[in-house]
Amino acid sequence: MSDLVKLPKSAVFGAANGVMFMTFFGALWASIGIVGSHELGAPWLLVLSGIVTLVLLIGAITLFGKARNMNHAVTPEGKEHWQKINKKFGLIFGLEGVAILIASIICNLINHFELFFPIMAIIVGIHFFPLAQLFRENFYYGTGVVLCILGTITFFLPMNATIGSVSLIATSTFIGFGSALTLWATGLRIWVTILKQLK
């Protein structure tokens, strides 16, 4: 987000939204991992997930607060620039949602819903590539690559596994926690980057 310093107020609002997105969807993926892991690691996986979610949520709220306290004037050109970015972001996010919906329908129709989560991870990963270009944030390329790799690896994992006396859904556990950690790391990166720029 190298150009965000030119429009601090808009930048911080955008970053706060980004951290919020990463927090929410990271928690969603973590819940998939927790459900798949059954009793393995209980209740600590749930507690850890809750702590990370709370910390990042505080980060997002902090950035929203900082943005509201800014009085930087935005030029008409700057306002138009961010309106275009927001429209493009909305389009990318919308296409991602449609792709996930289509994947869900197809997986149900062919009676292979176990394929849905890795496919969803790949779709989410792909959507980070245009976001990286849109926000000029190279870190998003890494997020996209990691999610695509996690999704691809999941296709080759056995669906079920047993660790000790616990029978778990290996694919859901792997893709759930892997994707959650990736999104949380991205949210933390956004938060820390903006805080440094505000100093």
Side-chain angles (χ1 to χ4, degrees):
M1 299 185 181
S2 56
D3 282 358
L4 293 184
V5 292
K6 297 178 181 178
L7 296 172
K9 192 178 183 74
S10 300
V12 178
F13 268 123
N17 280 317
V19 176
M20 190 70 76
F21 271 107
M22 302 304 166
T23 302
F24 173 76
F25 288 108
L28 181 63
W29 277 109
S31 68
I32 292 171
I34 290 171
V35 171
S37 63
H38 293 164
E39 296 299 319
L40 185 66
W44 301 112
L45 290 176
L46 181 60
V47 171
L48 181 60
S49 174
I51 291 173
V52 174
T53 299
L54 180 61
V55 169
L56 288 177
L57 184 60
I58 291 172
I61 293 172
T62 300
L63 291 181
F64 277 124
K66 289 182 178 293
R68 290 192 185 95
N69 292 330
M70 291 179 177
N71 295 314
H72 298 283
V74 180
T75 64
E77 293 80 8
K79 184 177 181 179
E80 182 181 356
H81 170 72
W82 282 98
Q83 285 176 341
K84 289 180 180 178
I85 286 181
N86 288 333
K87 286 181 180 179
K88 290 179 180 179
F89 172 77
L91 176 62
I92 293 168
F93 189 74
L95 289 174
E96 177 198 22
V98 170
I100 290 173
L101 177 62
I102 292 173
S104 173
I105 293 173
I106 292 175
C107 288
N108 270 313
L109 288 175
I110 63 175
N111 292 318
H112 283 287
F113 195 75
E114 73 278 4
L115 300 175
F116 174 63
F117 290 140
I119 291 175
M120 182 168 69
I122 292 172
I123 292 172
V124 174
I126 290 173
H127 112 286
F128 273 99
F129 297 127
L131 288 184
Q133 185 175 16
L134 180 64
F135 292 111
R136 300 183 183 182
E137 176 52 80
N138 290 332
F139 191 81
Y140 285 166
Y141 287 116
T143 301
V145 168
V146 171
L147 287 171
C148 289
I149 290 174
L150 289 173
T152 303
I153 292 174
T154 305
F155 286 126
F156 299 97
L157 294 178
M159 181 156 182
N160 299 303
T162 301
I163 298 180
S165 60
V166 179
S167 178
L168 53 83
I169 305 173
T171 50
S172 296
T173 303
F174 176 79
I175 196 64
F177 288 125
S179 298
L181 290 172
T182 303
L183 293 181
W184 283 335
T186 303
L188 181 62
R189 160 78 180 210
I190 297 172
W191 182 17
V192 172
T193 298
I194 294 300
L195 286 180
K196 286 181 179 179
Q197 291 180 357
L198 291 175
K199 287 182 179 179

